[in-house]
Amino acid sequence: MALSRTAMKTLARSAGASTPSMSVAARSQHTMANDKYMQTPEHYQYVLDKFTEHKACAVLRTPTASAAPKAMQAAVDGGFKLIEFTLTTPGCLDTLADFREQHGNNLLTGCGTVMDIEDCKAAMDAGSEFLVAPCLVPEVVTWCRMHNIPIFPGCQTPSEAYAAYKAGAPVQKIFPGVAGGPMWVKAVSAAMPMLRLNPTSGVDLDNAAEFLQNGANSVGLVAPLFPPGAIADEDWDQVQANAAKVIGSIRDAGIIA
């Protein structure tokens, strides 16, 4: 039976609608591929491997922009290979960019205190290789996951750490410090071995190795590494000595080469 002209037009429109030139999924993939913030899966794994290898990250907050590069250089001179500049430090992004230019791939450089997607973009524009947040912000974790950017959100309970893992955070920063310290890490990591716990607050020059021996994937050193008094006095030799002490204790425990 011959179709009417109206029926033929309807069929043609339906066929055109069912076979678009580019599907929604394909358009999404094309857009993401051209997103300047997209990182490669290989670099994502490279960051995680470096944390597993070097274990200890220097986390810096200073009250002035001028103190930040000097303090962090002292930590690097003392042996740190993983470093984090926090957005609460004046001029943080400029210092981060300068360090990336100066040290290249000799260091793994990240940015902390990212609280929203705009913070993430600003940090990545400055050259950050990983991002850290003091709390679990779901949209930040989702954006980072979609862009293959390692994000370490702050968590304080096993439930928060597992929620961060399920959301796509490969490392879970334990912040603030938890009662029990290394024993808390041991219990949680034994019960949930899929987690990569990164204690920061509560980690000091003497117990960093103990945290690692009890299941922490890595640790962050903040005030014990960068004492406010040493920063105020510009005592960079003290910061370097602190760095050498903690890296030495981790090495002596056989945790790093």
Side-chain angles (χ1 to χ4, degrees):
M1 180 175 65
L3 294 173
S4 69
R5 184 174 298 173
T6 300
M8 292 176 67
K9 288 182 178 179
T10 300
L11 286 172
R13 283 196 298 269
S14 297
S18 63
T19 56
S21 59
M22 184 180 289
S23 69
V24 172
R27 285 197 298 270
S28 176
Q29 291 176 356
H30 178 75
T31 299
M32 292 297 290
N34 288 279
D35 189 330
K36 73 174 184 174
Y37 297 107
M38 178 63 70
Q39 306 297 300
T40 65
E42 291 77 14
H43 190 265
Y44 182 94
Q45 188 60 48
Y46 169 81
V47 171
L48 300 184
D49 289 346
K50 285 298 180 183
F51 266 83
T52 299
E53 177 185 0
H54 296 298
K55 297 297 185 183
C57 182
V59 182
L60 179 65
R61 298 187 188 93
T62 61
T64 65
S66 61
K70 299 170 186 176
M72 190 62 87
Q73 186 60 55
V76 170
D77 292 342
F80 273 85
K81 298 292 186 180
L82 312 175
I83 64 172
E84 174 193 334
F85 295 97
T86 59
L87 287 174
T88 47
T89 297
C92 164
L93 296 178
D94 290 336
T95 304
L96 191 158
D98 290 343
F99 253 70
R100 285 284 285 136
E101 182 177 359
Q102 178 183 355
H103 293 281
N105 292 329
N106 293 322
L107 302 174
L108 191 70
T109 306
C111 185
T113 324
V114 296
M115 299 303 299
D116 53 37
I117 293 172
E118 291 307 308
D119 284 347
C120 295
K121 291 179 177 179
M124 296 305 293
D125 286 339
S128 184
E129 298 177 272
F130 62 92
L131 302 176
V132 184
C135 58
L136 176 57
V137 184
E139 58 267 30
V140 166
V141 175
T142 298
W143 185 86
C144 289
R145 185 192 68 222
M146 291 175 63
H147 290 83
N148 290 326
I149 299 169
I151 173 70
F152 308 167
C155 312
Q156 199 183 28
T157 67
S159 295
E160 284 184 336
Y162 186 69
Y165 163 77
K166 292 293 286 184
V171 175
Q172 303 78 42
K173 171 182 175 176
I174 304 306
F175 175 83
V178 291
M183 293 301 100
W184 185 96
V185 169
K186 181 177 182 179
V188 174
S189 61
M192 292 185 280
M194 75 291 293
L195 302 181
R196 291 188 179 98
L197 304 180
N198 172 259
T200 51
S201 177
V203 179
D204 59 36
L205 306 182
D206 297 312
N207 67 12
E210 186 180 1
F211 272 97
L212 294 166
Q213 289 169 326
N214 282 283
N217 172 262
S218 53
V219 294
L221 278 294
V222 195
L225 176 60
F226 302 106
I231 300 299
D233 294 339
E234 299 188 350
D235 188 351
W236 312 128
D237 288 341
Q238 181 61 61
V239 174
Q240 183 174 344
N242 291 346
K245 178 178 179 178
V246 69
I247 295 297
S249 70
I250 296 171
R251 182 175 291 113
D252 290 346
I255 298 169
I256 61 174

